[in-house]
Amino acid sequence: MTAEAELPDEWTHEPGEMLAFRPGSKVADIDTDATPGFGGSKDDAKALQWERNELLADLQERFYAGSKGGGDTRSVLLVLQGMDTAGKGGIVKHVVGAANPQGVRYTSFGKPTEEELAHHYLWRIRKALPPAGHIGVFDRSHYEDVLIVRVHDLVPPNVWATRYDEINAFERELVDGGVTLVKVAMFVSLDEQKKRLEKRLARPDKYWKYNPADIDERLLWPKYVDAYQAMLDRTSTDIAPWHIVPSDHKWYSRLAVTELLIEALEGLDLSWPPADFDVEAEKRRLAEA
Ligand code: AMP
Ligand code: MG
């Protein structure tokens, strides 16, 4: 087993602790341009990203190996929430992309299909949970059922109002079943969002990311602030806390989420599974084969 890696010097504070949602914090007050806990520059961050991606990949391989060879049934679930252009896709590409796809289970949750709508909202979520030894990634999640659903009155208030407790109970069940949840809420300023949407409209290679409805959601930002606030207030629990990731600087948000995943995996105390065969005997057999 490799020694537990130190947090790089550029981090002045543990990202997990620094970014954890604190009861009473207000979404409206989030400084989306900030880089909490990180003292380095953009160049430092880019160099570090390579280094930390390698560590993440190494930890993930150990985690996967433990499930295959060691019977470890645990999994990790990264839940990404954020408005359009917040950078969820970039996390998937640049952070999770560093890991071996064999051990990743990625799911993006869009508008529910007719079949999904005919079921309880957690039905499609349960189906997408990561198997043992995998890092599951939810690009949007069950939280849409208290975000867009609340903002657009897709179900009556007395229905969405019960979902916070229901989600907490669901996540308790996951944690008891060996899932480590890493919940990340990414926030960009409205100015930064406008720039990113403009870029999507200016470049044919970005059109595919653009959706005219993004502007409608943008105009509803004040209602989203209330919905995000309620989500954080009601579902940031000891067993599954939310992390607030300021995301105006992509180099920061990517590095921060990388560290959150590294912390989660290191917290699992991973070791390579021992051989279930006689290594020396196998060496002798192979030499003669
Ligand atoms: P994107 O992430 O850009 O592919 O967009 C997916 C869209 O699906 C977003 O506007 C989400 O808010 C929406 N969406 C995701 N989950 C739900 C849900 N449970 N109910 C309604 N809309 C949803
Ligand atoms: Mg979109």
Side-chain angles (χ1 to χ4, degrees):
M1 183 170 170
T2 57
E4 192 164 299
E6 298 265 315
L7 186 65
D9 289 343
E10 287 84 348
W11 283 100
T12 55
H13 295 84
E14 291 275 338
E17 210 179 297
M18 200 66 199
L19 299 174
F21 174 74
R22 283 182 183 69
S25 310
K26 295 295 166 216
V27 169
D29 296 339
I30 295 171
D31 181 2
T32 57
D33 186 49
T35 59
F38 189 72
S41 65
K42 176 177 179 175
D43 284 345
D44 294 335
K46 291 205 157 169
L48 259 188
Q49 187 71 58
W50 286 102
E51 218 179 289
R52 302 305 276 176
N53 276 357
E54 252 176 66
L55 174 63
L56 177 61
D58 176 71
L59 287 165
Q60 182 221 5
E61 188 170 310
R62 253 188 276 174
F63 187 39
Y64 186 75
S67 72
K68 292 290 158 198
D72 190 339
T73 59
R74 295 175 298 175
S75 62
V76 169
L77 179 57
L78 174 67
V79 172
L80 296 172
Q81 281 298 154
M83 296 292 283
D84 295 293
T85 77
K88 302 184 292 297
I91 298 292
V92 173
K93 186 170 166 183
H94 298 282
V95 178
V96 182
N100 186 337
Q102 199 175 32
V104 173
R105 174 125 194 239
Y106 167 81
T107 312
S108 84
F109 293 98
K111 210 167 162 284
T113 61
E114 245 176 70
E115 189 192 18
E116 287 169 348
L117 278 177
H119 288 86
H120 187 270
Y121 68 97
L122 292 176
W123 179 73
R124 65 175 183 166
I125 304 295
R126 288 183 185 277
K127 284 204 305 176
L129 291 171
H134 285 63
I135 300 178
V137 181
F138 283 2
D139 182 345
R140 304 187 189 270
S141 65
H142 41 298
Y143 286 102
E144 291 293 326
D145 293 281
V146 289
L147 291 169
I148 192 168
V149 165
R150 168 175 165 154
V151 167
H152 286 268
D153 299 314
L154 299 181
V155 300
N158 64 323
V159 174
W160 57 250
T162 63
R163 291 182 173 172
Y164 301 98
D165 290 342
E166 194 170 40
I167 287 172
N168 288 339
F170 169 62
E171 292 185 351
R172 156 62 72 187
E173 186 193 316
L174 295 185
V175 170
D176 287 347
V179 183
T180 299
L181 280 153
V182 181
K183 301 196 295 194
V184 169
M186 303 177 72
F187 291 94
V188 280
S189 68
L190 282 174
D191 281 352
E192 181 62 24
Q193 189 196 44
K194 191 168 205 165
K195 281 189 204 141
R196 292 183 186 178
L197 288 172
E198 278 166 358
K199 196 159 160 193
R200 289 182 182 182
L201 284 172
R203 285 177 45 176
D205 63 321
K206 300 274 183 197
Y207 291 167
W208 68 277
K209 288 191 188 180
Y210 186 84
N211 178 352
D214 294 350
I215 297 186
D216 303 317
E217 299 312 310
R218 174 180 166 78
L219 292 169
L220 290 167
W221 176 241
K223 287 186 95 178
Y224 272 104
V225 169
D226 293 344
Y228 270 102
Q229 188 70 55
M231 174 190 92
L232 295 168
D233 288 341
R234 306 237 3 229
T235 66
S236 198
T237 56
D238 288 345
I239 55 151
W242 274 105
H243 294 91
I244 307 298
V245 177
S247 299
D248 281 1
H249 301 290
K250 290 177 180 172
W251 52 265
Y252 174 79
S253 54
R254 289 172 189 171
L255 200 59
V257 176
T258 307
E259 291 304 332
L260 295 177
L261 283 174
I262 288 173
E263 267 183 63
L265 287 165
E266 284 188 335
L268 296 179
D269 244 331
L270 303 171
S271 50
W272 294 105
D276 56 2
F277 48 84
D278 181 337
V279 178
E280 292 311 317
E282 289 305 303
K283 283 183 186 166
R284 286 193 297 276
R285 280 184 66 219
L286 181 60
E288 288 156 18

